């Protein structure tokens, strides 16, 4: 998963340029021609973090103003308070070092709109292939082992990055792993497919196919079968997006805040918004650190209203871990890059991949 951190100086317009998760069929991303933001004030700085699909040309600036006025427990919120709170959560320490925040000068120049783009390189995280789920698995795998689990069960789409990384974590810990793969697009599952699907076998994970909406049924039956065999099963939700998993992105938020303290603040963060752990964890972590930077979630699957409700529900639960409020106005969703559906490529997405590759040598999916 990539984070785009963007500083804006004297911007004219800002393109809806977003990234996709590594090794997954991308939704869609519009690099130059989709939603445009209104003019920002001189000297404004914006941080955009990880992303994927975007939104229906809705102005960013208005949402940013609302988010900046939301109430958090500012009396106790600080980087030091967040750092201390994070120490209370056990983890496997898959993530040992902060991931870099790199400037993207060539891409910024090509887009030519006064925006300075930065990217947080979470694609460089450990486990097989890297990506955002490593941060979440750092915490949930610790809980699994603490509970004595000898089998991990999780779910995702047929080319799920989360499933790849969960299988990788299970292999690293020497425990059994089962993946329930949901065919969200008819005809998209091929047992002999390459990509992440190929890595599932390399990592010795067992695959179980499920039709659209059938994951709960298939997963429940699988867990019952494994438990009847005397195994201790730990179920990780899709994307490892529960409150504990989201703590991984509260930790990432602290890395961003510490970077900003030394290098100057960003004005906005843009992140992919799918299962929700990255988005809700980033929000909760920033606010717990006393940082009011707006976070724009680029929906990969659902419409704005649905995704906002989903993210807010998660944000409330994660914020409780840090003793903070979770105002709904903090949750900003853009949905105009979903395209025809989850994982279905578009021309704009292909252009985004090419721009990132040829100008910044970063390979996206």
């Amino acid at each position: 998963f990539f984070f785009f951190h963007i500083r804006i100086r004297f911007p004219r317009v800002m393109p809806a340029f977003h990234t996709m998760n590594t090794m997954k069929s991308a939704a869609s991303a519009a690099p130059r021609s989709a939603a445009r933001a209104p003019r920002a004030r001189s000297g404004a700085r914006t941080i955009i973090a990880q992303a994927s699909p975007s939104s229906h040309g809705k102005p960013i600036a208005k949402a940013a103003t609302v988010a900046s006025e939301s109430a958090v427990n500012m009396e106790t919120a600080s980087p030091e308070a967040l750092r201390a709170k994070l120490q209370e959560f056990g983890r496997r320490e898959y993530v040992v070092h902060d991931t870099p925040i790199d400037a993207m000068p060539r891409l910024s120049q090509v887009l030519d709109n006064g925006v300075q783009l930065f990217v947080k390189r979470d694609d460089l995280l450990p486990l097989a292939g890297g990506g955002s789920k490593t941060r979440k698995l750092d915490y949930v795998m610790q809980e699994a082992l603490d509970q004595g689990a000898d089998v991990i069960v999780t779910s995702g789409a047929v080319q799920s990055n989360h499933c790849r990384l969960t299988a990788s974590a299970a292999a690293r810990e020497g425990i059994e792993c089962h993946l329930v793969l949901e065919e969200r697009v008819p005809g998209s599952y091929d047992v002999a497919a390459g990509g992440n699907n190929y890595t599932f076998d390399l990592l010795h994970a067992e695959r179980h196919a499920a039709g659209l909406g059938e994951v709960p049924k298939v997963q429940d039956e699988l867990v019952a079968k494994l438990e009847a065999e005397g195994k201790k099963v730990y179920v990780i939700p899709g994307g490892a997006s529960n409150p504990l998993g989201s703590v991984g992105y509260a930790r990432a938020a602290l890395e961003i805040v510490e970077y900003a303290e030394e290098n100057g603040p960003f004005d906005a963060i843009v992140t992919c918004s799918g299962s929700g752990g990255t988005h809700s964890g980033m929000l909760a972590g920033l606010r717990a650190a006393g940082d009011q930077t707006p976070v724009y979630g680029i929906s990969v699957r659902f419409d704005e209203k649905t995704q906002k409700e989903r993210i807010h529900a998660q944000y409330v639960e994660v914020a409780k871990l840090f003793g903070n409020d979770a105002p709904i106005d903090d949750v900003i969703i853009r949905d105009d890059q979903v395209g025809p559906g989850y994982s279905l490529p578009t021309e704009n997405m292909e252009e985004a991949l090419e721009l990132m590759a040829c100008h910044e040598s970063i390979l996206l999916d």
Side-chain angles (χ1 to χ4, degrees), residues 228-257:
E229 295 171 357
K231 296 176 178 178
K232 177 73 172 179
V233 180
Y234 183 91
V235 177
I236 298 176
S241 292
N242 59 11
L244 182 59
S246 298
V247 170
Y249 267 89
R251 184 165 182 251
L254 179 61
E255 295 176 18
I256 294 170
V257 170

Side-chain angles (χ1 to χ4, degrees), residues 20-288:
M20 277 61 65
N21 301 333
T22 306
M23 294 182 67
K24 179 168 73 177
S25 298
S28 64
R32 298 181 74 96
S33 60
R36 304 279 181 174
R39 297 174 185 270
R41 66 186 186 281
S42 296
R45 295 181 171 181
T46 302
I47 174 172
I48 298 185
Q50 150 210 329
S52 142
S54 101
S55 174
H56 301 326
K58 302 172 178 107
I60 287 180
K62 180 178 180 182
T65 303
V66 172
S68 67
E69 294 170 353
S70 62
V72 183
N73 293 334
M74 296 303 293
E75 306 82 13
T76 58
S78 69
E80 294 74 20
L82 174 57
R83 190 177 302 111
K85 188 65 178 179
L86 288 170
Q87 295 302 313
E88 299 177 11
F89 300 94
R91 63 190 184 93
R92 298 304 295 157
E93 298 191 355
Y94 300 144
V95 182
V96 179
H97 306 291
D98 293 1
T99 55
I101 294 177
D102 292 339
M104 296 192 289
R106 295 197 67 233
L107 183 59
S108 300
Q109 183 178 23
V110 167
L111 295 178
D112 190 26
N113 60 359
V115 177
Q116 295 180 24
L117 289 162
F118 292 74
V119 59
K120 186 159 178 62
R121 298 298 304 275
D122 275 15
D123 58 315
L124 302 179
L125 286 167
L127 300 181
S132 63
K133 305 307 185 291
T134 296
R135 289 190 183 272
K136 304 176 189 179
L137 290 164
D138 207 9
Y139 291 90
V140 297
M141 287 297 291
Q142 182 65 60
E143 182 176 73
L145 295 173
D146 288 346
Q147 293 181 6
D150 52 18
V151 179
I152 298 295
V153 172
T154 195
S155 62
V158 296
Q159 288 283 356
S160 167
N161 292 326
H162 163 67
C163 286
R164 166 175 48 85
L165 286 167
T166 301
S168 176
R172 180 165 172 167
E173 303 296 351
I175 59 180
E176 190 176 330
C177 182
H178 291 259
L179 309 173
V180 179
L181 304 176
E182 183 180 31
E183 191 177 51
R184 296 173 183 172
V185 178
S188 61
Y189 181 58
D190 178 358
V191 70
N196 282 338
N197 185 75
Y198 177 68
T199 69
F200 301 156
D201 285 340
L202 289 179
L203 296 164
H204 287 195
E206 294 290 330
R207 292 175 291 175
H208 307 267
L212 181 63
E214 294 179 354
V215 167
K217 176 179 179 293
V218 174
Q219 184 167 282
D220 288 348
E221 292 174 352
L222 173 62
V223 170
K225 176 179 178 293
L226 292 169
E227 290 179 340
E229 295 171 357
K231 296 176 178 178
K232 177 73 172 179
V233 180
Y234 183 91
V235 177
I236 298 176
S241 292
N242 59 11
L244 182 59
S246 298
V247 170
Y249 267 89
R251 184 165 182 251
L254 179 61
E255 295 176 18
I256 294 170
V257 170
E258 290 175 337
Y259 176 93
E261 286 180 337
E262 294 185 9
N263 299 278
F266 295 105
D267 298 291
I269 297 175
V270 175
T271 180
C272 179
S273 190
S275 59
T278 300
H279 191 172
S280 60
M282 179 62 61
L283 273 174
L286 289 170
R287 302 305 181 253

